Amino acid sequence: MTGQETAQAGAASWEELVTTALLGTDRRGIGRAAVRGRKDAATALLDEAALHTVRRRAGLRPGSAAPRPERAQDDPRPALPAAARRRLALLLSDRPGTGSSGRRGSTPDLTELLPQWLAAANDHGYAAPAELLPALLDAARGRTDLRPPALAFAGPRALWLARLNPEWKFALRTTPGGSALPSPEDSEAVGRLWEEGLFAERVALLGAVRAHDPGAARALVESTWSTERAEDRLMFLDSLRTGLADGDEAFLERALSDRSRNVRTTAAELLSALPGSALAGRMARRAATCVALDALRTGITVEAPHECDPGMERDGVVASPPPGRGQRAWWLGQLVEAAPLATWPQRLGGRSPAEIVALPVADDWQGELHAAWCRAAVRQQDAEWSRALLGAASSPGAAGPGAVSLAERAKLLGTLPEQERAEWVAGFIAAHGLSEAFQLLGVCAVPWAEPLGGAVVDALNIARDAGSYPWSFSGVMGLAERCLDPAAASRLEALTATPDETEDGAPGAGGYWAEAFQRLVGTLRLRAVMREELAGAV
């Protein structure tokens, strides 16, 4: 019997012994351990239980001897400064507490600062301390948002440890920079890993090669395309979003005939993001037959498609609409979304995007048409169209002249430069307050640039003076702790005192606000200290 078989037999016997002890030896025997020369079944049961107890307490199941693992790859990056190393140990040891009252108190939440600390450490190019790697991998195992920065910081030793501990196997699916991947320039090693590697290793390799040489990455995918599983083809195709260029068109056109519908749809989406592609031209011609100026040339008329022909389906149009959507509206949206935005000024009288968005649309088609233009602007990363669809930050309601929801506005904002994004959201907060702005704040760069930081602080102060409880603003307050510039701490100091209660204010609200601002100030100051520690200034 091998060591593994012995372990499995031991485990099975233990379960058998427990069952026999519960039922009694008179009602159930103990199988192969029953007699063995013994006359008393109860004594035999106790003897076997003692034997298995010792085996279980040994901590390891019997197994065949195996060679020692190879030494971990060296990490050439510089070591953390001592103060930063102590800070990381503190961040990794912190666990969020929950009091019986549900109040967070004024103490900073260290777990929420860990992603920011890791991002800053990676910017400095530090290596992770070896003794903290297990705790770092444990933290990343429980939080998927931590995995990319944590694995980048952990470096090659994360992979070495992940191969020894199955609880850290996620690291093998997300290989960061500085890992054991071959150099993208080593074509022989790249080819060997692509042919022989695990799926996760191949995905990581493809990403590394794509960043270095997009054409070489595409060639890798093409070399084994016909033998890959459909789900793998989809993942490899999706990796071409990075560095997507006209050179990818021929391969993507061939993928339009793939036997997997998901692969065909993704290929069509990528081709529509290339305004000069043949597919984009075909979609532009189809969309142009559906959208035109009215007889007076002062508005837009829409004639949605009456059928979804095979050519449309091959180019990525999904024939069956989701529940609640009409077929013609569904087909129209897909055509307009995939057409190059340059189609419309030429089609609609030479107007600018802002002038086009301002035109009235007949027969209640405006929502469908503008929503499709929003998706096209995001897909094609067109800032001019995004500005037109966003409209002024102070426009009435949550939606602008083109965007029909806050979610769409958030996506459109992502196409704008960081400073312009911050200014637009600051104007939105000034006009509409914080309750509508949470989704929009999430797409702004960190730390928040002015005037955005000031607008958030002013809006929180207004909410505090109104006497309401701060709980409805807890999401924004949490974002402020992570995203405000630490220099704002001095400005917030005056808000940490408990204000006098007003007659129409909620009882005790001032105390809650004081705690919230104390925590915010403390967190900002802690972030400033962390920054100094990583710079070696402390």
Side-chain angles (χ1 to χ4, degrees), residues 188-461:
E188 182 178 349
V190 166
R192 184 166 55 251
L193 183 58
W194 181 253
E195 293 285 348
E196 303 173 1
L198 300 173
F199 175 70
E201 293 174 323
R202 299 176 75 206
V203 171
L205 176 68
L206 187 60
V209 175
R210 184 71 173 176
H212 175 75
D213 184 346
R218 185 181 64 251
L220 279 179
V221 175
E222 290 184 278
S223 68
T224 58
W225 183 256
S226 61
T227 62
E228 304 286 359
R229 301 180 304 168
E231 55 266 35
D232 294 351
R233 294 199 305 276
L234 181 62
M235 182 70 75
F236 296 150
L237 192 66
D238 197 64
S239 71
L240 300 185
R241 295 180 190 276
T242 301
L244 184 67
D246 292 338
D248 299 317
E249 181 181 359
F251 170 64
L252 294 173
E253 273 285 342
R254 292 194 295 274
L256 289 176
S257 301
D258 194 88
R259 56 187 180 274
S260 166
R261 189 182 73 174
N262 289 335
V263 170
R264 296 195 301 270
T265 301
T266 300
E269 179 186 345
L270 293 174
L271 282 167
S272 68
L274 296 172
S277 68
L279 178 138
R282 295 193 295 269
M283 299 302 262
R285 290 190 289 274
R286 292 176 180 126
T289 64
C290 300
V291 180
L293 289 174
D294 60 19
L296 298 176
R297 303 182 67 80
T298 57
I300 295 175
T301 61
V302 173
E303 181 66 30
H306 290 272
E307 64 172 345
C308 182
D309 59 44
M312 290 167 61
E313 288 197 66
R314 182 182 182 275
D315 284 346
V317 176
V318 178
S320 300
R325 291 290 303 276
Q327 277 189 328
R328 297 181 66 199
W330 174 244
W331 297 334
L332 172 73
Q334 292 178 81
L335 294 182
V336 174
E337 176 183 356
L341 288 164
T343 303
W344 305 113
Q346 181 179 351
R347 175 69 173 162
L348 301 175
R351 290 174 170 85
S352 68
E355 292 169 334
I356 291 172
V357 170
L359 288 173
V361 182
D363 300 326
D364 296 324
W365 282 106
Q366 179 168 310
E368 291 285 352
L369 183 60
H370 283 189
W373 277 337
C374 285
R375 296 192 298 272
V378 173
R379 181 182 296 186
Q380 298 171 37
Q381 292 293 287
D382 192 305
E384 184 180 7
W385 271 90
S386 292
R387 291 186 190 99
L389 292 161
L390 278 166
S394 58
S395 59
V404 296
S405 69
L406 281 172
E408 284 183 343
R409 278 190 151 184
K411 292 176 182 178
L412 292 169
L413 281 169
T415 70
L416 303 182
E418 291 181 1
Q419 184 61 43
E420 183 179 355
R421 206 181 309 168
E423 292 172 355
W424 195 95
V425 177
F428 183 92
I429 291 172
H432 304 288
L434 283 174
S435 59
E436 302 254 10
F438 186 77
Q439 281 182 289
L440 307 180
L441 287 169
V443 300
C444 294
V446 177
W448 288 333
E450 291 301 332
L452 178 56
V456 171
V457 171
D458 289 343
L460 287 171
N461 193 18

Side-chain angles (χ1 to χ4, degrees), residues 5-19:
E5 291 168 340
T6 302
Q8 291 172 344
S13 298
W14 178 258
E15 296 299 330
E16 182 182 332
L17 292 172
V18 171
T19 302

Side-chain angles (χ1 to χ4, degrees), residues 78-104:
L80 274 174
R85 186 170 63 252
R86 291 191 295 271
R87 179 69 61 191
L88 176 60
L90 182 62
L91 293 174
L92 291 172
S93 64
D94 184 72
R95 294 291 182 271
T98 54
S100 58
S101 66
R103 295 175 67 161
R104 287 183 58 193

